[in-house]
Amino acid sequence: MKYRLLDFLVEPNTGEGFDLHVFEEKIIDSMPLSEGKKCSSHCFRLNKDSDGIDSAECQKCPRHEVIQGKLVSKVSRIEYPVINGIPRILPSDLLQPLVQNVHNDYVRRFGKQFAKLGHLNYEVENEKKKTVEAFGYQWRTFVDNYDYFKDIMLSFTRPFMDEADYAGKLLLEVGCGSGRPGVASCKMGAEVVGMDISEAVESAYTQSLKLPGFHVVQADAYAPPFRPVFDVVYSVGVLQHIPSPEKALLGISKVVAPTKPLLLWIYGKRELWYQPIEWSRTLTRKMPLNALRIVSIVLAALSELFLLIPYRLMKASSLLSGVAEKIPGRIYAKYPFRENVVGWFDRLVAPVTYYFSEADIRALLEKTGFKDLKVHARKDASASWVIWATRK
Ligand SMILES: C[S@@+](CC[C@H](N)C(=O)[O-])C[C@H]1O[C@@H](n2cnc3c(N)ncnc32)[C@H](O)[C@@H]1O
């Protein structure tokens, strides 16, 4: 965790800022210097007014990495752990098992330092617990797909954000997974806070150790722990996998600053050919995750053979190139085989998947406090929407 993250974090129940207790800090000499942006009023690392801080100090700040620690809300003294460099600001139903079962080493070492661990006591749906498990596995297994992701990322955010629109922006990503979108956004010049509910954050965190402008937090879209300070809040490929998209949008609406946009990429109502995939999901989402991984490799190989190779051949022929553009899944022809594998795994593993019509998503956004909606159909891929909205 970089100290600068404290400038954005708040306790989600009360909106209070946090004090940070550092148990373990590391200096990362290989971390590139940051642009040297100052924190809004206080430097949390040097414990001084930001005005008095030399910008050379701010440039070096990301080299100071808090590995283990505790966040304590300023008034109510509610505590959340920072485990392996990641603040874990989760509802108690998820936080307790996470610390007891997954990060028990942290409990053994620092458990005695806590008086009031967590305080978010809303109910966590069973489907959400399964989602945490499925995506936690997915994004700690498929971690070799960062290099080509910029192109995919731009296909999720155009026409509202093109490459030049990322430079200098402060972005919040809801559902950052392994950090692929966040890494791409940072490489296009943004500073990014990526949050995710699952252990996918562990993979995103590895990336954050190389990028001075990338921060990672484990939290739930129902209660995002941030001040509304971001130039854009975005979420790509996430809303359709949340048991209540309405509760998620209500949570997200609290961290979208007035006049600043929310950008979403979500599934649309899928074409007829997609139906067998949806039917097979009743079976695949119950499969052991390692077995589903093998199934995904086989399906990717079959789609390569029967769809993508014919697509490439037809594209090359002047007579058939129009027909080629009707082949399902053709977008994967642009990317390495491993993207096709993760694509199959992703669509088959998710415990919850909604397919939104344009009317559905418009109604949902209006109901959850958004206005000035712009809804754009994403090109050259299965039906999906890119959405731009501001808060009422
Ligand atoms: C299909 S993945 C997309 C990941 C990433 N946006 C990408 O495009 O590579 C969906 C992600 O949403 C996360 N997620 C699901 N429900 C969430 C919630 N309630 N709050 C935050 N993240 C959530 C999952 O853990 C998963 O990493």
Side-chain angles (χ1 to χ4, degrees):
M1 172 189 169
K2 299 172 182 88
Y3 282 88
R4 182 163 159 73
L5 185 53
L6 280 170
D7 207 28
F8 315 132
L9 281 178
V10 290
E11 203 289 320
N13 257 333
T14 60
E16 297 159 25
F18 285 114
D19 291 325
L20 173 66
H21 298 233
V22 179
F23 302 152
E24 208 176 292
E25 184 186 297
K26 195 161 97 184
I27 301 294
I28 304 178
D29 291 319
S30 55
M31 177 71 84
L33 293 178
S34 80
E35 280 170 28
K37 277 190 200 161
K38 285 193 180 178
C39 290
S40 56
S41 59
H42 188 75
C43 169
F44 294 91
R45 181 167 67 86
L46 302 174
N47 201 14
K48 280 195 206 166
D49 228 47
S50 323
D51 282 347
I53 306 285
D54 190 280
S55 79
E57 281 293 348
C58 301
Q59 286 183 313
K60 283 187 289 183
C61 191
R63 292 189 173 162
H64 296 259
E65 179 69 19
V66 177
I67 306 290
Q68 314 291 358
K70 157 173 108 161
L71 292 161
V72 185
S73 68
K74 285 198 183 287
V75 183
S76 319
R77 311 311 287 167
I78 301 164
E79 300 166 328
Y80 295 93
V82 177
I83 307 175
N84 299 344
I86 306 166
R88 319 278 177 157
I89 308 180
L90 288 167
S92 305
D93 261 11
L94 293 176
L95 185 58
Q96 298 294 352
L98 183 79
V99 290
Q100 300 298 343
N101 307 333
V102 185
H103 297 292
N104 45 12
D105 187 51
Y106 177 92
V107 179
R108 192 180 48 73
R109 292 176 65 198
F110 308 113
K112 289 206 177 78
Q113 314 262 4
F114 284 84
K116 196 176 177 184
L117 177 66
H119 189 59
L120 284 171
N121 289 325
Y122 58 85
E123 189 203 344
V124 175
E125 308 94 320
N126 272 338
E127 295 295 278
K128 189 183 272 178
K129 290 180 185 163
K130 289 186 202 153
T131 300
V132 168
E133 192 194 341
F135 284 116
Y137 175 95
Q138 175 171 323
W139 294 123
R140 279 175 303 154
T141 305
F142 302 102
V143 287
D144 51 357
N145 37 25
Y146 294 93
D147 45 342
Y148 54 83
F149 198 75
K150 184 174 98 181
D151 187 48
I152 300 182
M153 181 62 187
L154 287 171
S155 80
F156 291 155
T157 67
R158 281 185 188 128
F160 305 115
M161 278 182 86
D162 215 327
E163 187 158 355
D165 301 314
Y166 284 79
K169 297 276 188 339
L170 176 63
L171 308 177
L172 172 65
E173 176 174 10
V174 179
C176 65
S178 63
R180 311 188 306 168
V183 169
S185 304
C186 282
K187 289 190 174 158
M188 291 188 278
E191 180 173 11
V192 182
V193 179
M195 70 160 256
D196 199 286
I197 196 167
S198 74
E199 284 287 274
V201 288
E202 297 274 340
S203 299
Y205 177 71
T206 307
Q207 299 300 314
S208 79
L209 294 176
K210 297 180 252 176
L211 293 164
F214 191 29
H215 312 267
V216 179
V217 178
Q218 191 169 20
D220 181 4
Y222 290 10
F226 304 103
R227 295 177 213 286
V229 290
F230 302 95
D231 294 311
V232 181
V233 176
Y234 73 82
S235 180
V236 293
V238 178
L239 200 67
Q240 63 260 15
H241 299 308
I242 299 187
S244 167
E246 183 177 335
K247 284 187 191 162
L249 284 172
L250 282 171
I252 293 169
S253 72
K254 298 192 180 118
V255 294
V256 176
T259 78
K260 300 285 182 179
L262 168 70
L263 192 161
L264 298 172
W265 172 70
I266 57 165
Y267 283 3
K269 292 261 182 231
R270 290 283 149 112
E271 302 78 357
L272 211 56
W273 61 259
Y274 199 89
Q275 278 312 310
I277 298 178
E278 187 49 32
W279 295 328
S280 59
R281 282 175 28 76
T282 29
L283 179 73
T284 58
R285 59 187 187 212
K286 295 188 195 119
M287 279 175 82
L289 296 168
N290 279 329
L292 185 58
R293 183 181 178 185
I294 294 166
V295 169
S296 304
I297 295 170
V298 171
L299 288 169
L302 291 174
S303 56
E304 186 73 32
L305 205 60
F306 294 110
L307 297 172
L308 302 185
I309 293 177
Y311 170 78
R312 291 187 193 102
L313 294 173
M314 284 159 89
K315 266 301 266 184
S317 133
S318 54
L319 225 62
L320 294 172
S321 68
V323 187
E325 291 311 328
K326 304 255 178 291
I327 292 184
R330 61 194 176 282
I331 193 163
Y332 288 96
K334 289 204 251 171
Y335 305 114
F337 179 71
R338 57 189 193 273
E339 182 63 23
N340 198 355
V341 177
V342 74
W344 276 108
F345 190 91
D346 188 276
R347 62 182 80 90
L348 296 176
V349 80
V352 176
T353 303
Y354 293 106
Y355 303 95
F356 298 92
S357 69
E358 183 176 350
D360 293 338
I361 190 62
R362 280 186 179 276
L364 199 55
L365 282 162
E366 302 244 347
K367 190 172 174 194
T368 51
F370 291 94
K371 61 172 186 172
D372 302 332
L373 315 178
K374 292 184 190 132
V375 180
H376 171 85
R378 183 182 174 217
K379 288 210 175 70
D380 300 327
S382 303
S384 63
W385 305 110
V386 185
I387 296 150
W388 186 255
T390 49
R391 226 178 67 184
K392 275 182 195 160

